[in-house]
Amino acid sequence: MIPYARQDVSDEDVAVVVEVLRSDWLTQGPVVGRFEQAVAANCGASAGVAVSSGTAALHLACRALGLEPGDGVWTSPNSFVASANCARYCDCDVDFIDIDPKTYNLSVAALEEKLYRSEQQGNLPKAVIAVHFAGQSCDMEQIWGLSQKYGFKVIEDASHAIGGRYRDTAVGSCRYSDLTVFSFHPVKIITTAEGGMVMANDEGLLERLRLLRSHGIARDPAAMASPDEGAWYYEQIDLGYNYRMSDMQAALGLSQLNRLEAFVQRRRFLASQYDQALEGLPLVRPWQHPDCQSSYHLYPVQVVGGSKQRRELYDALHHRDIRVQVHYIPIHTQPYYRSLGFACDAFPEAESYYARTISLPMYPAMTDEDQAAVVDTLHEVL
Ligand SMILES: *Cc1c(COP(=O)(O)O)cnc(C)c1O
């Protein structure tokens, strides 16, 4: 069986987790801090706040930016539902920006047009969540420029993109955003089992993220309303959550981070092999923007026929135990979002892309033989 994605956990990764299990700390402790510092150093942000999932990271990002009920939040329909749900948790009004048919990321031209119209109507968004689909960064300099012009906050959903680069920055540096979110789910680039992190450069935002991660409880006397009543004393000063990461997870993450570069190199090599081996087949291969170096979380191809051909190809590959996947069912077509009033034909580029796309197997432990089997099967079936 060849999956579309899977984690690569080494003996070394296992050993560091076992070491934590025998230590004094199992929940958030010193290893979480070390993991946060290591990720921040790796991507060039001043700090990171580790949390229990990428979804929790997105939710905290929305809360830290002060998003409130009724605020407009825009994102890409070509993403996992969490990219939009995080704003719904804050009772924000979610809307979508259709995708660019070449990069499959949100179209900056469509964003600009919608901002222009929204300004006329007096309903500009409070935040845009830019999703780096498949590991390729959005055009962040342009999105950041628009945020300065129209006054909205920018969150990068980089769940697919740790290890990727945009121009002369690493994804996660927050050079062109307020906050960047990573996911460490096992199908992503590095894993902590469940886990995520929010990266930031602003000390005020980092403080809020840390506060909200743990119930909104402050232990620093400077943040408290009443004088310190003793060493036991704490105050809940906001409504937070238990979104903490455990030291076991952070140990796995630290060990995986040592392997990030090798993982991404392997993914890029596999992508270049697919690029060559699929030439001549009736498939649209993923296009790379010259400003971006993708971390290749996914290698999506589009069939040139319609959804019927995609289904046949998907079934034929699964029949041969090649477990390809489809990314993504456009978020606005989900029944929950339809119940909020979205029409199934509201974002035609995302819908047309969805009808034709299949993500081929892509993971660092994929062998050359596994990849050759996928390529041979595609040649045979097509
Ligand atoms: C995986 C993913 C998430 C959610 O991450 P979890 O760690 O599974 O909560 C959010 N956005 C995108 C684009 C993702 O791929």
Side-chain angles (χ1 to χ4, degrees):
M1 191 270 282
I2 300 179
Y4 92 91
R6 67 164 282 130
Q7 70 275 16
D8 180 349
V9 174
S10 66
D11 291 345
E12 172 74 22
D13 292 342
V14 171
V16 296
V17 175
V18 169
E19 202 178 305
V20 169
L21 271 168
R22 300 209 161 100
S23 77
D24 291 338
W25 289 95
L26 297 184
T27 59
Q28 182 181 306
V31 187
V32 168
R34 278 174 27 221
F35 181 44
E36 289 172 338
Q37 280 173 12
V39 174
N42 184 280
C43 66
S46 43
V49 177
V51 293
S52 51
S53 70
T55 304
L58 283 165
H59 184 196
L60 284 195
C62 291
R63 284 289 317 271
L65 291 175
L67 297 179
E68 294 195 344
D71 285 348
V73 177
W74 297 356
T75 189
S76 169
N78 182 35
S79 186
F80 184 55
V81 291
S83 303
N85 288 350
C86 58
R88 292 295 305 143
Y89 299 153
C90 303
D91 280 318
C92 294
D93 287 340
V94 169
D95 205 350
F96 300 95
I97 313 293
D98 209 352
I99 62 169
D100 176 313
K102 277 179 91 172
T103 63
Y104 318 142
N105 280 329
L106 69 79
S107 155
V108 174
L111 173 63
E112 194 163 9
E113 215 174 281
K114 197 177 173 84
L115 286 166
Y116 180 79
R117 273 186 281 121
S118 298
E119 188 178 43
Q120 314 282 302
Q121 295 158 5
N123 59 357
L124 282 167
K126 286 280 165 33
V128 168
I129 302 175
V131 183
H132 302 325
F133 179 73
Q136 171 162 246
S137 176
C138 295
D139 194 338
M140 291 313 302
E141 191 172 355
Q142 290 208 53
I143 294 170
W144 187 240
L146 290 169
S147 80
Q148 303 304 299
K149 181 171 173 192
Y150 289 99
F152 58 85
K153 303 289 184 190
V154 179
I155 299 170
E156 295 175 71
D157 181 347
S159 295
H160 299 183
I162 194 170
R165 294 188 66 82
Y166 169 72
R167 300 206 177 159
D168 54 354
T169 62
V171 170
S173 71
C174 302
R175 168 82 174 74
Y176 303 105
S177 63
D178 296 284
L179 296 167
T180 301
V181 165
F182 293 131
S183 164
F184 306 127
H185 182 279
V187 299
K188 308 291 166 67
I189 309 282
I190 60 169
T191 191
T192 60
E194 296 281 1
M197 199 177 289
V198 191
M199 313 311 298
N201 293 322
D202 181 279
E203 206 40 57
L205 285 175
L206 287 161
E207 278 302 303
R208 272 189 65 69
L209 290 164
R210 292 184 191 114
L211 184 77
L212 294 168
R213 163 173 66 182
S214 200
H215 308 283
I217 286 177
R219 290 177 187 278
D220 173 6
M224 294 185 191
S226 312
D228 180 5
E229 296 179 12
W232 68 85
Y233 190 67
Y234 61 81
E235 279 184 1
Q236 187 198 340
I237 58 173
D238 200 342
L239 182 60
Y241 314 89
N242 178 352
Y243 278 170
R244 293 184 304 265
M245 176 181 277
S246 72
D247 260 23
M248 290 184 290
Q249 292 168 296
L252 177 55
L254 256 178
S255 186
Q256 288 258 305
L257 190 67
N258 288 330
R259 307 169 67 203
L260 172 62
E261 181 144 342
F263 284 164
V264 171
Q265 287 305 328
R266 178 69 187 163
R267 287 174 179 276
R268 289 188 180 137
F269 176 76
L270 291 168
S272 72
Q273 295 292 102
Y274 273 139
D275 284 344
Q276 287 170 34
L278 304 180
E279 215 179 310
L281 284 180
L283 291 172
V284 181
R285 290 163 289 164
W287 180 77
Q288 296 303 299
H289 193 290
D291 284 348
C292 300
Q293 284 174 271
S294 178
S295 52
Y296 283 103
H297 166 54
L298 301 173
Y299 189 92
V301 293
Q302 287 181 84
V303 302
V304 294
S307 57
K308 187 162 166 287
Q309 191 196 2
R310 190 270 302 278
R311 182 162 188 170
E312 284 163 8
L313 181 58
Y314 177 98
D315 289 344
L317 290 165
H318 271 247
H319 192 70
R320 289 164 174 79
D321 250 358
I322 297 173
R323 308 269 174 91
V324 289
Q325 257 293 359
V326 168
H327 301 92
Y328 282 100
I329 304 164
I331 300 173
H332 66 282
T333 68
Q334 295 289 353
Y336 171 74
Y337 283 91
R338 292 213 319 264
S339 79
L340 297 178
F342 289 100
C344 278
D345 59 357
F347 302 98
E349 294 293 354
E351 293 143 21
S352 144
Y353 169 74
Y354 164 61
R356 294 171 175 80
T357 193
I358 283 188
S359 300
L360 299 184
M362 166 63 82
Y363 47 94
M366 186 180 202
T367 63
D368 295 345
E369 293 72 42
D370 291 339
Q371 191 177 31
V374 174
V375 167
D376 290 347
T377 308
L378 285 168
H379 277 273
E380 186 193 316
V381 173
L382 292 163

